[in-house]
Amino acid sequence: MVSDTTTITLALSKGRIYDETLPLLETAGIQPLDDPETSRKLLIATNRADVKIIIVRASDVPTYVQYGAADLGIAGKDVLLEHGGEGLYQPLDLEIARCRMMVAVENEFDYESAVRQGARLRVATKYLNTARAHFGSKGVHVDLIKLYGSMELAPLVGLAEAIVDLVSSGNTLKANNLRAVEEIMPISSRLIVNQAALKLKRHLLQPMLDSFSEAVGKVSR
Ligand code: PRT
Ligand code: MG
C-alpha cells in the first residue's frame, strides 16, 4: 500500500524523537502546524500541503512505514532491531535520541562470577532479539522474560537477575540500586523509508533525505 503520490506522510513518536526531529524538519523547510504534546491530534498538518505527520508509539513506527501507511519515519535502532527491518530502507543514522543498550544488575549481584560459573541467568527485557543475540554470542545461557516497560523493577522484586535496557544519564539505574555491567551497543535513531514509496515518490522524498543528510553531515545516496 502506498498512498497517493502527491503527498508524503512522516511517522514520528512523541517525546524525545519528536523534539530532536523538529530542528531537522526545520532545515527541510517543514514546520508542523500543531504541537502533539498539547494538541492530542494524531495527524498533524505542516506548512507544506504535501507533507503530513502522524504520531504513533515509538515501537509502532516501523510497522506504519513497512505497510506504507507512512512513507517514512524515525525510529530508534533498539526498535528496528526488534522489528527486523522488513520492507524498510534505512538510508541515514540521524544521530538523535542517543543512548546505550546495557545489561544491568542489582549492585549486590555478582554478575561476573555468575557468568564465569556458567549459571543460567534470568533476564527481563523489552528487547528480546537484541538480548538473545548478545548473550548467544557470549555463550551465556539465559531465560528471557518479556516486559513492556519499567524493566528496572524486575531485579528488585526477584523477577530476574539481570535486565537489558536503554541507559542515557544512568539516573534510573542509580535510583533503583542497579549498575550497568555490559554495554551491548550504542543506540541512535534512524530514518526509515518504505521501499515502494521511495520509488514512486522519489521526487518528494529525495529532497527531504538530502536536507536531513546535510543536517547530520552525511550523504544519503
Ligand atoms: O515511552 P513509550 O512506551 O511510549 O515508548 P518508548 O519508551 O519506546 O518511547 P520513547 O519516546 O521513550 O523512546 C523513543 C526512543 O528514544 C527509544 O526507542 C530509544 O531509541 C531512544 N532513547 C534514548 C531512549 C532513551 N534515550 C532512554 N533513556 N528510550 C528510552 N529511555 C529510557 C530507558 O528505557 C530507561 O527506562 O529512559 C530510562 C533511562 O534513562 P536514564 O537517563 O535514567 O539513564
Ligand atoms: Mg519511554
Side-chain angles (χ1 to χ4, degrees):
M1 177 184 114
V2 169
S3 49
D4 80 283
T5 55
T6 61
T7 64
I8 48 181
T9 302
L10 167 66
L12 294 176
S13 55
K14 272 202 287 199
R16 63 190 110 219
I17 289 189
Y18 186 86
D19 297 343
E20 296 188 41
T21 300
L22 273 184
L24 294 173
L25 289 177
E26 187 75 41
T27 66
I30 299 163
Q31 287 146 12
L33 298 183
D34 270 299
D35 177 358
E37 297 298 340
T38 53
S39 86
R40 292 178 179 267
K41 280 192 191 169
L42 299 176
L43 227 169
I44 297 179
T46 73
N47 62 321
R48 278 185 34 190
D50 58 350
V51 179
K52 61 184 181 205
I53 295 171
I54 60 172
I55 302 296
V56 304
R57 279 293 287 266
S59 46
D60 289 335
V61 168
T63 307
Y64 278 84
V65 177
Q66 174 188 0
Y67 288 99
D71 300 300
L72 73 175
I74 296 176
K77 185 177 178 188
D78 50 318
V79 164
L80 290 168
L81 287 172
E82 294 306 307
H83 171 272
E86 196 194 330
L88 303 176
Y89 172 57
Q90 300 186 28
L92 202 57
D93 181 355
L94 297 171
E95 292 173 7
I96 60 171
R98 301 178 79 117
C99 56
R100 291 172 297 160
M101 183 77 75
M102 308 279 270
V103 181
V105 299
E106 267 192 298
N107 282 325
E108 299 73 23
F109 182 75
D110 191 351
Y111 178 75
E112 292 74 9
S113 15
V115 165
R116 210 176 319 116
Q117 288 158 12
R120 211 174 166 86
L121 211 62
R122 251 181 330 147
V123 179
T125 187
K126 185 161 142 183
Y127 308 103
L128 292 183
N129 289 345
T130 308
R132 195 177 295 116
H134 173 71
F135 291 109
S137 75
K138 286 172 51 93
V140 174
H141 295 290
V142 290
D143 292 316
L144 296 177
I145 300 173
K146 166 83 181 183
L147 289 177
Y148 291 87
S150 302
M151 270 78 81
E152 294 89 352
L153 183 62
L156 311 185
V157 295
L159 180 62
E161 283 113 10
I163 61 171
V164 168
D165 195 8
L166 301 175
V167 178
S168 46
S169 68
N171 289 339
T172 308
L173 291 184
K174 205 178 293 166
N176 290 291
N177 191 41
L178 301 172
R179 66 184 173 105
V181 287
E182 267 162 18
E183 171 162 345
I184 300 180
M185 66 180 81
I187 298 287
S188 55
S189 288
R190 321 276 154 132
L191 190 65
I192 56 174
V193 185
N194 177 277
Q195 286 172 350
L198 188 63
K199 295 192 190 102
L200 295 168
K201 305 189 186 186
R202 195 176 266 279
H203 57 295
L204 290 173
L205 288 169
Q206 192 64 53
M208 219 162 141
L209 299 194
D210 291 343
S211 315
F212 285 169
S213 342
E214 214 171 299
V216 297
K218 287 187 186 166
V219 177
S220 75
R221 277 165 230 253

